């Protein structure tokens, strides 16, 4: 049987005999006339779709940057930075200061440090020395003016078993097994409680482990006694977080006279963050203009020219949010417009530093209230202002 493809070739060749016509090229050209425009249209649609997807992604990314810029304005402690110094860091020092601290100078005098009770047991020859023929209970009482008594069972009646049982309990007492180096009787259990007078404790058991014996209490529990701005205070800890709001202070020793503590704040952080927000918005505005303009020469210029409704909606929602009144207004500061934020005829945000400086100088607390409701880390899902 003859090959059909050879027969077709012969027919096509015969048709072209004497005419000088390339019948094969003619057939290809006729096919291309139909195929190429459709192919180009499909490829153009694919390119436009890819550009649109990239355009949407770019808008989403820039909105994320704008949101991040706003998040630098919604916590009262982040609106300004603060610094603090002590006249005697060896005795009194700052361990942390946030932006909510009130600037000023403070006097702090320490007459007594807080400390925990420390008690030791009798001496034992090894960590596994037998203390009893079977498991036994410890009765642990913690407190001074108000006491709590707990029963702790020692399942393994050895010094190591006592330590493990106490540390596994919820009494707040910490136990450590120490090798004192005394040959033959060199192990002691050391107990320490919480700092402050309410951390005092007592332990009894059968067998008697010696914690209540005379001379086995190495240190008694006591509160810190101090004078802050002339006011006498007691605290159970040597770390003070409720004396100067927004600051944590460590007291390390007693003082012979008042130590001067100085706190200052720097409100330039707020201005910087507002400028960053304005810049982020204007970057978004520029990107939206380019994506909507078919004549733009940028890589994605005109990518969203067919979706101007999206661009208009994004602009309107963001502008409404920026220029709306705060839900925590004050007498003179109600919105961002009151601290120098406005929009020009090109749609760009502008920042009037003179207006801002005046508002912050005269009404910083109102500015902070307008921006943050005087809160930190407020949930997006709360119904609070």
């Amino acid at each position: 049987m003859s090959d059909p493809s050879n027969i077709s070739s012969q027919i096509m060749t015969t048709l072209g005999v004497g005419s000088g016509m390339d019948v094969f090229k003619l057939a290809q050209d006729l096919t291309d006339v139909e195929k190429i425009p459709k192919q180009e249209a499909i490829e153009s649609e694919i390119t436009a779709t890819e550009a649109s997807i990239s355009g949407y992604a770019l808008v989403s990314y820039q909105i994320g940057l704008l949101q991040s810029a706003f998040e630098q304005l919604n916590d009262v402690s982040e609106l300004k930075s603060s610094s603090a110094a002590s006249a005697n860091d060896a005795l009194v020092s700052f361990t942390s200061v946030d932006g909510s601290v009130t600037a000023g100078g403070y006097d702090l005098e320490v007459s007594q440090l807080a400390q925990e009770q420390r008690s030791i047991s009798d001496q034992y020859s090894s960590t596994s020395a037998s203390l009893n023929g079977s498991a036994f209970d410890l009765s642990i009482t913690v407190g001074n003016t108000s006491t709590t008594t707990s029963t702790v069972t020692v399942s393994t009646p050895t010094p190591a078993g006592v330590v493990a049982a106490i540390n596994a309990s919820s009494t707040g007492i910490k136990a450590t097994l120490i090798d004192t180096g005394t040959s033959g009787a060199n192990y002691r259990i050391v107990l320490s409680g919480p700092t402050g007078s309410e951390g005092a404790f007592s332990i009894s058991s059968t067998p008697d482990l010696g914690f209540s014996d005379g001379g086995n209490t190495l240190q008694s529990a006591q509160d810190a006694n101090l004078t802050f701005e002339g006011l006498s205070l007691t605290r159970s800890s040597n770390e003070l977080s409720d004396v100067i709001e927004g600051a944590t202070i460590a007291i390390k020793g007693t003082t012979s006279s008042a130590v001067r503590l100085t706190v200052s704040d720097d409100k330039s952080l707020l201005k910087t963050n507002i400028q960053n927000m304005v810049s982020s918005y204007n970057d978004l505005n520029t990107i939206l203009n380019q994506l909507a303009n078919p004549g733009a020469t940028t890589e994605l210029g005109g990518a969203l020219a067919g979706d101007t409704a999206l661009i208009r909606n994004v602009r309107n929602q963001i502008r409404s949010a920026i220029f709306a009144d705060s839900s925590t207004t004050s007498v003179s500061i109600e919105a961002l417009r009151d601290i120098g934020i406005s929009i020009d005829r090109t749609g760009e945000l502008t920042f009037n530093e003179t207006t801002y400086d005046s508002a912050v100088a005269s009404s910083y607390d109102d500015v902070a209230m307008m921006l943050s409701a005087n809160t930190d880390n407020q949930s997006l899902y709360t119904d609070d202002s």
Side-chain angles (χ1 to χ4, degrees):
M1 179 179 290
S2 299
D3 186 350
S5 62
N6 289 335
I7 294 173
S8 299
S9 178
Q10 291 172 6
I11 293 173
M12 294 297 290
T13 302
T14 301
L15 288 174
V17 172
S19 67
M21 181 182 296
D22 187 342
V23 177
F24 290 107
K25 184 176 185 307
L26 176 61
Q28 184 63 51
D29 289 345
L30 290 173
T31 300
D32 288 347
V33 167
E34 291 290 327
K35 183 181 78 171
I36 291 176
K38 293 180 179 179
Q39 181 176 330
E40 290 177 345
I42 292 172
E43 291 175 349
S44 178
E45 289 180 6
I46 291 174
T47 300
T49 300
E50 290 176 344
S52 295
I53 292 172
S54 297
Y56 293 134
L58 184 57
V59 171
S60 177
Y61 173 74
Q62 195 61 42
I63 289 175
L65 293 182
L66 180 60
Q67 180 180 351
S68 296
F70 270 109
E71 287 172 352
Q72 299 304 310
L73 300 171
N74 64 356
D75 288 335
V76 67
S77 64
E78 296 177 349
L79 299 183
K80 61 181 180 179
S81 59
S82 299
S83 59
S86 167
N88 191 336
D89 273 327
L91 298 178
V92 181
S93 65
F94 286 93
T95 58
S96 68
V97 180
D98 67 33
S100 66
V101 69
T102 302
Y106 307 91
D107 289 325
L108 179 65
E109 189 170 358
V110 181
S111 57
Q112 176 177 287
L113 290 176
Q115 63 184 30
E116 71 280 6
Q117 178 180 334
R118 292 179 189 165
S119 299
I120 58 175
S121 69
D122 291 335
Q123 292 181 305
Y124 305 104
S125 60
S126 71
T127 63
S128 58
S130 177
L131 304 178
N132 199 43
S134 61
F136 63 94
D137 291 335
L138 301 172
S139 178
I140 303 178
T141 300
V142 180
N144 187 359
T145 58
S146 177
T147 61
T148 301
T149 300
S150 305
T151 299
V152 176
T153 299
V154 180
S155 300
T156 304
T158 64
V162 171
V163 169
I166 291 174
N167 287 337
S169 71
S170 57
T171 59
I173 307 301
K174 177 183 177 183
T176 309
L177 195 56
I178 302 292
D179 182 353
T180 64
T182 303
S183 178
N186 48 313
Y187 288 95
R188 283 185 182 248
I189 301 169
V190 180
L191 303 181
S192 60
T195 59
S197 61
E198 289 302 315
F201 62 87
S202 62
I203 296 183
S204 62
S205 64
T206 301
D208 183 7
L209 302 181
F211 291 116
S212 299
D213 291 354
N216 280 2
T217 298
L218 304 181
Q219 177 175 283
S220 298
Q222 65 183 30
D223 290 328
N225 294 331
L226 49 133
T227 302
F228 178 74
E229 292 290 274
L231 180 65
S232 296
L233 305 174
T234 61
R235 293 292 184 270
S236 62
S237 171
N238 293 320
E239 186 172 83
L240 313 175
S241 58
D242 59 351
V243 175
I244 300 176
E245 185 177 358
T248 301
I249 302 166
I251 54 175
K252 308 169 187 176
T254 58
T255 64
S256 58
S257 59
V259 175
R260 187 66 171 173
L261 305 175
T262 305
V263 178
S264 59
D265 58 38
D266 181 3
K267 299 184 178 72
S268 65
L269 178 63
L270 174 56
K271 178 183 280 190
T272 298
N273 289 342
I274 288 177
Q275 290 170 327
N276 289 340
M277 181 274 293
V278 170
S279 177
S280 293
Y281 176 87
N282 288 337
D283 288 343
L284 173 62
N285 188 58
T286 298
I287 288 171
L288 291 176
N289 287 338
Q290 293 173 349
L291 292 174
N293 181 10
T297 57
T298 54
E299 182 179 354
L300 293 177
L304 298 183
D307 198 357
T308 55
L310 167 79
I311 294 175
R312 183 169 55 253
N313 189 39
V314 168
R315 277 204 177 102
N316 289 342
Q317 288 198 47
I318 293 176
R319 287 178 183 174
S320 295
I322 289 176
F323 292 105
D325 286 353
S326 169
S327 59
T328 52
T329 61
S330 64
V331 175
S332 59
I333 307 296
E334 298 181 340
L336 289 175
R337 62 179 177 273
D338 296 318
I339 57 173
I341 304 296
S342 61
I343 195 165
D344 64 18
R345 59 183 181 83
T346 67
E348 296 270 292
L349 281 189
T350 62
F351 178 48
N352 188 313
E353 293 191 43
T354 300
T355 301
Y356 169 85
D357 290 340
S358 176
V360 168
S362 62
S363 308
Y364 173 79
D365 289 343
D366 293 334
V367 172
M369 175 63 77
M370 181 270 291
L371 290 170
S372 68
N374 272 342
T375 62
D376 279 320
N377 301 315
Q378 192 179 92
S379 170
L380 291 173
Y381 307 105
T382 181
D383 57 1
D384 295 336
S385 299

